[in-house]
Amino acid sequence: KVVKLNIDKQNQIPKIKTWTLAAIGVHLLTSFGIVCSLFAVLNVFEGNLGSAFMWLGVALFIDAIDGTLARKIDVATFTPNINGLMMDSIVDFTNYILIPCLILVKAGYLLPNFEVCLPAIILVVSLFSYSRISVSDDDSRYVGFPVAWNIVVVYLFILEMSQLANSVVISIFIALKFVPLKYVHPFRTRRLRKPTLIFTGLWFVSTAVLCLNKTVTLDAYVFLLANGVLALATFYFLCLTLASGFESHGVMRQTASGVLNIKASSQKFS
């Protein structure tokens, strides 16, 4: 029996090494997001916003897949001394918040009186948001705007609105952080998972095409198609968020009704 146990252990060693290497590979994939941050920052200072958004897009794609890979491989078991969640949070804060704030300041998107004030508020609010223990519900939906400022800023880049309009939009999204609407996580949600993944893919492609159009003039039909697809995908996610408001209202009504019934019952037996 002792010999058999030793043989089993020897057979398991290559598998453990393979999974450990796979776990390290996932961490390296996550870490490439911070390399994307560096290239994005360099392009922001060079005034090349198209390339900056391209690198932020690559980082966003990495963030979309590394979590799934980490869970499948169980990186916490095979690389216990590396905190993948901490690594991911550092990369995300840089790409989702810090660099978008830098773009808001450097690209002249905001009114002069607010070009530093609003990004500063975003940084502080986002820092508290990242520090919260729980920010999502049982379906991995974020409660309150999920401080995805890279998404907001890319819309400003595509739409080319006035400084006043941009300042209003940014102020609204800051306020939405404190409104208990729920925002779907496209890769973790269980409700409407398939259509959500489809619309997420459409959003990625259409956004990439419209960002590319800022540097390379595309065919008019391609441009119009990309705008239509982006509008459709945006409308889909907007509907999901607004629907969560009615869902929350329904829960509150049910809770209030339950409380009233309990009070009525207690008065009846008193």
Side-chain angles (χ1 to χ4, degrees):
K1 289 183 178 179
V2 174
V3 174
K4 186 178 180 181
L5 287 173
N6 288 334
I7 293 173
D8 289 340
K9 287 182 179 180
Q10 289 176 358
N11 290 335
Q12 288 177 358
I13 290 174
K15 293 182 180 180
I16 294 173
K17 288 182 177 179
T18 300
W19 285 109
T20 301
L21 289 173
I24 293 172
V26 173
H27 287 312
L28 287 173
L29 176 64
T30 301
S31 68
F32 186 69
I34 207 71
V35 178
C36 294
S37 306
L38 173 63
F39 289 123
V41 169
L42 291 174
N43 278 282
V44 169
F45 280 106
E46 291 173 0
N48 192 351
L49 290 183
S51 295
F53 280 112
M54 181 197 74
W55 285 109
L56 289 179
V58 173
L60 183 60
F61 179 75
I62 291 172
D63 187 50
I65 63 173
D66 65 351
T68 301
L69 292 173
R71 286 185 290 274
K72 284 186 178 296
I73 295 173
D74 192 11
V75 295
T77 298
F78 295 101
T79 53
N81 292 325
I82 300 176
N83 190 329
L85 180 60
M86 176 65 73
M87 182 187 295
D88 188 66
S89 296
I90 293 170
V91 175
D92 286 352
F93 193 91
T94 304
N95 289 324
Y96 284 31
I97 299 159
L98 185 60
I99 295 176
C101 285
L102 179 64
I103 291 173
L104 289 175
V105 173
K106 296 294 292 184
Y109 281 148
L110 303 175
L111 292 169
N113 292 336
F114 298 96
E115 65 181 5
V116 174
C117 174
L118 288 178
I121 293 172
I122 289 172
L123 288 170
V124 174
V125 170
S126 300
L127 187 62
F128 275 93
S129 178
Y130 264 66
S131 302
R132 287 182 62 188
I133 296 174
S134 178
V135 293
S136 58
D137 67 358
D138 57 356
D139 193 38
S140 299
R141 292 180 299 179
Y142 296 100
V143 181
F145 176 64
V147 294
W149 293 102
N150 53 338
I151 305 298
V152 177
V153 174
V154 79
Y155 275 97
L156 303 187
F157 177 64
I158 291 171
L159 297 176
E160 295 184 353
M161 300 186 297
S162 67
Q163 289 182 328
L164 175 60
N166 291 337
S167 300
V168 171
V169 168
I170 294 297
S171 299
I172 289 173
F173 275 100
I174 290 174
L176 284 174
K177 179 60 196 170
F178 304 97
V179 178
L181 291 172
K182 297 179 179 179
Y183 298 77
V184 67
H185 190 302
F187 298 100
R188 295 185 186 176
T189 185
R190 294 184 296 275
R191 303 175 187 176
L192 301 173
R193 182 171 178 79
K194 287 185 178 179
T196 299
L197 288 174
I198 291 171
F199 278 105
T200 300
L202 292 174
W203 185 91
F204 264 106
V205 173
S206 59
T207 303
V209 169
L210 291 173
C211 286
L212 181 62
N213 186 67
K214 299 295 183 180
T215 54
V216 179
T217 304
L218 301 176
D219 183 82
Y221 293 105
V222 174
F223 175 74
L224 290 174
L225 179 62
N227 273 288
V229 171
L230 179 60
L232 184 63
T234 302
F235 181 72
Y236 173 79
F237 288 108
L238 178 63
C239 287
L240 291 181
T241 298
L242 293 177
S244 73
F246 292 102
E247 173 187 307
S248 300
H249 183 65
V251 170
M252 290 177 64
R253 288 182 60 183
Q254 290 179 1
T255 303
S257 177
V259 171
L260 290 175
N261 289 335
I262 292 171
K263 286 184 177 179
S265 298
S266 63
Q267 290 175 357
K268 182 177 179 181
F269 289 103
S270 61

